[in-house]
Amino acid sequence: MTPAPAVRREGKRALVLVGGGITGAMYEFGCLRAFDDFFEGAFSSLDFDCYIGTSAGAVVGMLLANGVGPANVMDIIATSQKHPLNFRHEDIFRFDWENFRRSLGRSLAMLPAVYRYYRKHRTPFSLQSLMGLLQENLPSGLFSMKDYIRYLDSLIKQMDLATSFRGLKKELYVPAISLDLPMRTVFGDEGSRDIPISRAIAASSALPFYFEPVSIDGVDYVDGGTAQLAHVDIAINQGADRILVLNPIVPIQNDQSRVCIPSFSGGCVRIAEKGISYVWDQAARINSHEKLEMIVARLRVSHPWAKIVLVEPGGSDTVLFAQHILSYASRVQILDYGYRSTKSFLRERGEEMREIFLSPELHPTGGETLG
């Protein structure tokens, strides 16, 4: 006997915020300022019922859930006001020299044992083999998250924001991925609502290789975007039927007849000519964006009553691609780009946005909760 589908709760409006580092957060603030200007008070980014934020998107979601609007954030950063939101580069991350020195010390201490191993097994020496033997002494990330957590705690205290999910008036959900038992934890769900928001955000932001995993209650977590960019299913599980997804992470379409990726020496180049970091970044964007499109397409089929609006940069726009996700200097430029590109989006689809987000509730037909 087939069980009857679960009755869907009253429709909610949800905002899903993808990561993307400093540049991603600036893009999202710019987008939201454009939406707020477009709706002229009839609806705003502070009126969503729930916020789902991954990595840097979790910071944006945390501020919105506390009632801090994008116009306020943009004005503080654009005018360089002395304010905790106008953070410094070193507030967010710095190279963990202490951890590096400890790792180097452990590696040097192992060298006699490595020498004996090679001599005993008569194994031909190679740098690759040596790195394989020493790799467990390497740090688990280039940067520590301690400074980031300290900054978030200070920001929350100075702005008198909620320190835990229970203190929020709006729903906030922050996904992170358990490293040892690869599965998703959604901070903000019942059972994790007493976790400090700063630690949940840091766990969701711990991008592998760049940042060390964040340990919470003995569990090591890495970036929530490791599994998927946009956790739209969380919004649906919480009863949302109108979902706005902001995604700054798209691969560039480097058609050199229309697009120019500049090189330092001048001229336009192929991505491969920009070096290993650009190749890695483009490959990661291709993989992530492909998964995002597949997930959104599947949800639109399995939950046709849910209206999912995806806003992201155009594939031929180099503004975000040209900036590293941890870039600090480009903040104002990215804020402006997010605002202008979203204004262009709303000129084309503004009436559709009004129909979706100003309606009291879409027509419920019942639905299933996603696992």
Side-chain angles (χ1 to χ4, degrees):
M1 182 176 179
T2 304
V7 176
R8 187 162 53 88
R9 287 168 284 177
E10 182 179 356
K12 296 179 180 178
R13 293 174 290 198
L15 177 61
V16 179
L17 299 150
V18 177
I22 296 172
T23 55
M26 296 302 105
Y27 170 80
E28 289 170 354
F29 281 125
C31 290
L32 293 170
R33 174 71 178 270
F35 266 94
D36 287 357
D37 289 352
F38 172 78
F39 281 108
E40 298 180 318
F43 177 71
S44 82
S45 53
L46 300 180
D47 293 330
F48 287 95
D49 300 291
C50 59
Y51 301 90
I52 297 90
T54 305
S55 190
V59 178
V60 181
M62 180 270 291
L63 290 169
L64 295 170
N66 275 284
V68 181
N72 189 18
V73 177
M74 284 188 70
D75 290 344
I76 288 170
I77 293 175
T79 58
S80 297
Q81 296 179 32
K82 188 175 182 180
H83 190 280
L85 279 173
N86 196 20
F87 56 88
R88 300 170 303 165
H89 190 280
E90 56 269 25
D91 290 331
I92 305 301
F93 60 90
R94 68 182 72 186
F95 190 80
D96 195 343
W97 287 106
E98 181 182 349
N99 197 12
F100 178 77
R101 284 193 294 269
R102 286 198 300 267
S103 298
L104 181 60
R106 289 194 299 267
S107 297
L108 291 174
M110 272 189 67
L111 286 180
V114 171
Y115 171 76
R116 291 192 296 271
Y117 172 87
Y118 275 108
R119 187 170 181 176
K120 178 180 179 180
H121 295 278
R122 300 184 182 279
T123 305
F125 176 82
S126 70
L127 184 60
Q128 292 89 339
S129 299
L130 178 63
M131 290 300 296
L133 291 171
L134 296 178
Q135 66 176 343
E136 67 182 52
N137 294 307
L138 297 176
S140 55
L142 292 178
F143 303 107
S144 169
M145 298 298 283
K146 295 176 184 177
D147 289 316
Y148 190 38
I149 294 171
R150 191 178 299 115
Y151 165 74
L152 290 172
D153 284 335
S154 175
L155 172 71
I156 289 169
K157 181 179 180 180
Q158 290 184 66
M159 295 187 65
D160 195 25
L161 308 178
T163 59
S164 74
F165 294 89
R166 292 192 187 278
L168 294 170
K169 295 181 180 179
K170 295 291 186 75
E171 298 174 40
L172 173 66
Y173 302 97
V174 178
I177 306 300
S178 169
L179 187 59
D180 289 294
L181 299 175
M183 58 187 296
R184 181 177 72 182
T185 293
V186 181
F187 295 107
D189 269 347
E190 201 60 50
S192 65
R193 300 190 69 196
D194 292 318
I195 298 295
I197 290 177
S198 60
R199 295 198 69 84
I201 293 174
S204 185
S205 305
L207 182 64
F209 181 79
Y210 286 106
F211 296 106
E212 293 178 339
V214 172
S215 181
I216 298 177
D217 294 335
V219 178
D220 294 325
Y221 291 98
V222 294
D223 186 2
T226 303
Q228 55 182 295
L229 276 181
H231 296 260
V232 184
D233 61 306
I234 297 175
I236 292 177
N237 284 344
Q238 297 303 323
D241 61 2
R242 290 152 292 170
I243 304 165
L244 176 63
V245 182
L246 300 185
N247 171 41
I249 305 175
V250 298
I252 190 72
Q253 302 287 337
N254 191 27
D255 177 356
Q256 290 185 303
S257 66
R258 299 184 301 115
V259 175
C260 179
I261 297 179
S263 70
F264 185 75
S265 58
C268 306
V269 296
R270 306 192 320 275
I271 293 173
E273 296 176 284
K274 289 288 288 183
I276 189 172
S277 65
Y278 278 83
V279 172
W280 179 87
D281 187 38
Q282 173 76 340
R285 287 168 182 264
I286 292 170
N287 178 56
S288 299
H289 198 258
E290 183 83 8
K291 288 195 293 185
L292 173 59
E293 289 184 328
M294 291 174 61
I295 289 169
V296 171
R298 177 173 63 83
L299 291 175
R300 283 172 173 159
V301 171
S302 61
H303 296 74
W305 42 262
K307 300 297 182 182
I308 304 171
V309 179
L310 177 61
V311 177
E312 56 188 15
S316 60
D317 289 345
T318 61
V319 177
L320 280 175
F321 186 77
Q323 305 293 339
H324 192 275
I325 62 171
L326 301 180
S327 173
Y328 175 83
S330 60
R331 292 181 305 163
V332 175
Q333 178 189 5
I334 301 300
L335 283 169
D336 181 64
Y337 170 74
Y339 183 83
R340 289 187 293 102
S341 63
T342 305
K343 292 283 280 189
S344 177
F345 167 85
L346 290 169
R347 281 194 292 270
E348 296 180 8
R349 297 181 59 182
E351 289 306 312
E352 178 188 355
M353 297 303 100
R354 285 193 178 94
E355 182 179 343
I356 292 174
F357 292 105
L358 292 183
S359 62
E361 181 184 0
L362 298 182
H363 304 293
T365 58
E368 298 178 354
T369 299
L370 301 179

